[in-house]
Amino acid sequence: MEVIKSFTIDHTHLKPGIYISREDKGFTTFDIRITEPNKEPAVAPAAMHSLEHLTATWFRNSKVKDDVVYVGPMGCLTGMYIIMTGTYTVQDIRKLTIECLEWILMQKEVPATTAETCGNYLLHDLPMCKWECKRYIDRLKNDFHSEYTKLSVKLDDGKVFADA
């Protein structure tokens, strides 16, 4: 089997920032990396769930709403993916993400947190979500990273897969 591109990123050197994870078939997948993998705690599940609801709500109501395909958390809980159509740069998404996070900081509640509207409506934490947003805004403004460190992966058949 081929190694998935995101598994070729050296997570031991990955810093919080915004990265282009994939560009194919007219879509761009942006890696919205909130915490430093394996060096900082991941975002708590309840905070990430609230961040997902709020980020999806903001992006799907923003000026780019027609280009938003998907907004959702990474399984490792160190960030989110935003998939877009159109031609957006990392800097475009950085600006939009900061606008979104600043909007989140003003919110008094998380949308769609009833049993009818959410599959796990009790798993939310707006205060911790806001704490993560404040920290991430500071990182996006003052210590921005957008270039992946690549990792070579040896496949079962002995071939080396390296995405240069």
Side-chain angles (χ1 to χ4, degrees):
M1 296 197 137
E2 289 187 36
V3 176
I4 297 168
K5 184 178 176 183
S6 64
F7 294 163
T8 68
I9 304 307
D10 186 349
H11 286 72
T12 64
H13 294 96
L14 188 57
K15 302 290 184 190
I18 297 177
Y19 304 86
I20 293 178
S21 177
R22 291 180 62 160
E23 291 179 289
D24 57 353
K25 301 177 185 169
F27 301 99
T28 304
T29 302
F30 291 93
D31 173 336
I32 310 299
R33 192 64 60 155
I34 298 167
T35 67
E36 189 169 353
N38 304 308
K39 292 184 181 158
E40 297 178 332
V43 178
M48 181 63 86
H49 193 197
S50 295
L51 184 61
E52 173 197 9
H53 278 230
L54 288 157
T55 303
T57 297
W58 187 88
F59 268 89
R60 292 186 182 279
N61 285 279
S62 74
K63 61 189 171 197
V64 299
K65 67 182 179 182
D66 292 337
D67 294 332
V68 177
V69 176
Y70 174 79
V71 177
M74 296 175 178
C76 62
L77 300 176
T78 63
M80 302 184 75
Y81 289 115
I82 298 177
I83 302 174
M84 304 285 290
T85 59
T87 54
Y88 294 92
T89 66
V90 165
Q91 290 300 332
D92 294 332
I93 300 302
R94 177 186 186 191
K95 182 178 182 292
L96 290 165
T97 300
I98 290 170
E99 288 176 33
C100 173
L101 297 172
E102 289 173 341
W103 174 82
I104 290 172
L105 292 176
M106 296 184 302
Q107 301 312 298
K108 303 275 190 250
E109 61 184 36
V110 178
T113 56
T114 66
E116 295 81 14
T117 59
C118 179
N120 197 358
Y121 76 101
L122 297 176
L123 184 70
H124 285 281
D125 186 344
L126 182 57
M128 194 63 198
C129 172
K130 288 183 176 186
W131 185 88
E132 293 286 0
C133 288
K134 287 177 191 170
R135 186 170 71 141
Y136 191 46
I137 288 170
D138 180 63
R139 290 171 162 182
L140 291 177
K141 289 182 176 180
N142 299 310
D143 189 27
F144 186 62
H145 298 274
S146 62
E147 294 293 326
Y148 278 138
T149 302
K150 302 296 182 178
L151 178 70
S152 295
V153 177
K154 190 171 185 178
L155 303 175
D156 291 338
D157 63 3
K159 293 179 184 173
V160 174
F161 178 85
D163 193 4

